[in-house]
Amino acid sequence: DAKTTQPPSMDCAEGRAANLPCNHSTISGNEYVYWYRQIHSQGPQYIIHGLKNNETNEMASLIITEDRKSSTLILPHATLRDTAVYYCIVRVGTGTASKLTFGTGTRLQVTL
Amino acid sequence: DAGVTQSPTHLIKTRGQQVTLRCSPISGHKSVSWYQQVLGQGPQFIFQYYEKEERGRGNFPDRFSARQFPNYSSELNVNALLLGDSALYLCASSRGTSGVQWEQFFGPGTRLTVL
């Protein structure tokens, strides 16, 4: 299984961009990078995913390096409500055996 | 539309007891997955069900079992509870199991405490 490495914690000032890095150097060519976040004691929330191109949605942007060995999740204007644990996940398997393999994530603290 | 719902929200059991947790997927979703999240760790995959059949199993003992009903709701059963089973149990649903149908939506979880 492809493994991800994330810093355990990060701080960001409200209104600034939060850039969360993820290393996935053993990713296979057909594996997607997914980002979820989990606000305290709630279920994980899907943010964004990508294969090799950069992606953007209403919540965030995902930048994947050309060699696909790392990626960065960007929250363009962080708010206090973005304080959460952010998980970078490489989707394991395809089809009916697919699952999410979570690591320990990055705890993002957004401050005033 | 309602999201994924789980019941109960909290549960306290003693060692050796059995517990059943319930999950109702988002309307139109046919796949349900179960995850266990121990305090301080990320969720760990337990089972995936699609169209009432088990399609994936994580590294959990046989004390853990699950099933999916014709209406796509699901139950997770844990027998002979151990203190280490104390965790947040998460249910996730998706339309299907591949491609764009795979995106998983999580419920709020059931917090199980084993004393």
Side-chain angles (χ1 to χ4, degrees):
Chain A
D1 296 353
K3 185 176 177 178
T4 62
T5 303
Q6 300 176 253
S9 63
M10 293 183 64
D11 293 329
C12 179
E14 189 176 34
R16 306 297 292 267
N19 296 283
L20 291 88
C22 179
N23 182 288
H24 33 79
S25 58
T26 60
I27 192 169
S28 299
N30 62 349
E31 290 180 322
Y32 285 76
V33 179
Y34 279 75
W35 283 82
Y36 278 74
R37 73 179 183 183
Q38 188 172 25
I39 297 170
H40 182 63
S41 294
Q42 298 181 20
Q45 176 190 24
Y46 167 82
I47 302 173
I48 199 168
H49 75 279
L51 182 62
K52 52 182 145 182
N53 297 321
N54 297 338
E55 303 287 345
T56 296
N57 63 20
E58 64 278 4
M59 288 183 68
S61 294
L62 174 60
I63 309 298
I64 302 174
T65 59
E66 192 167 341
D67 63 9
R68 302 209 327 122
K69 293 184 177 182
S70 65
S71 61
T72 301
L73 177 74
I74 301 173
L75 307 178
H77 305 286
T79 71
L80 296 177
R81 287 178 293 182
D82 292 322
T83 294
V85 177
Y86 287 77
Y87 295 100
C88 169
I89 303 158
V90 172
R91 180 178 164 186
V92 178
T94 58
T96 58
S98 190
K99 63 180 180 181
L100 288 169
T101 300
F102 289 82
T104 52
T106 295
R107 184 172 298 278
L108 176 67
Q109 181 68 52
V110 180
T111 57
L112 290 171
Chain B
D1 284 344
V4 177
T5 59
Q6 294 186 243
S7 63
T9 54
H10 295 84
L11 201 53
I12 299 175
K13 293 285 188 179
T14 57
R15 282 177 293 176
Q17 285 189 310
Q18 175 265 341
V19 68
T20 298
L21 311 180
R22 296 176 177 83
C23 171
S24 292
I26 293 171
S27 177
H29 285 197
K30 298 182 178 181
S31 179
V32 169
S33 297
W34 287 95
Y35 292 79
Q36 179 197 64
Q37 186 173 24
V38 175
L39 195 63
Q41 298 182 18
Q44 300 298 308
F45 173 76
I46 309 175
F47 287 111
Q48 182 188 42
Y49 276 78
Y50 177 69
E51 292 282 13
K52 295 170 286 181
E53 291 187 5
E54 182 183 305
R55 297 303 181 97
R57 173 186 284 257
N59 188 24
F60 280 81
D62 292 343
R63 299 185 296 108
F64 289 77
S65 63
R67 55 180 174 169
Q68 186 177 33
F69 298 98
N71 66 354
Y72 303 111
S73 67
S74 177
E75 287 182 350
L76 175 70
N77 295 285
V78 186
N79 294 321
L81 285 167
L82 304 174
L83 296 178
D85 294 331
S86 295
L88 180 67
Y89 288 85
L90 295 159
C91 173
S93 77
S94 60
R95 292 188 186 279
T97 58
S98 62
V100 297
Q101 295 192 339
W102 178 87
E103 183 185 324
Q104 297 199 336
F105 295 83
F106 284 82
T110 293
R111 183 160 298 282
L112 172 66
T113 301
V114 182
L115 302 176

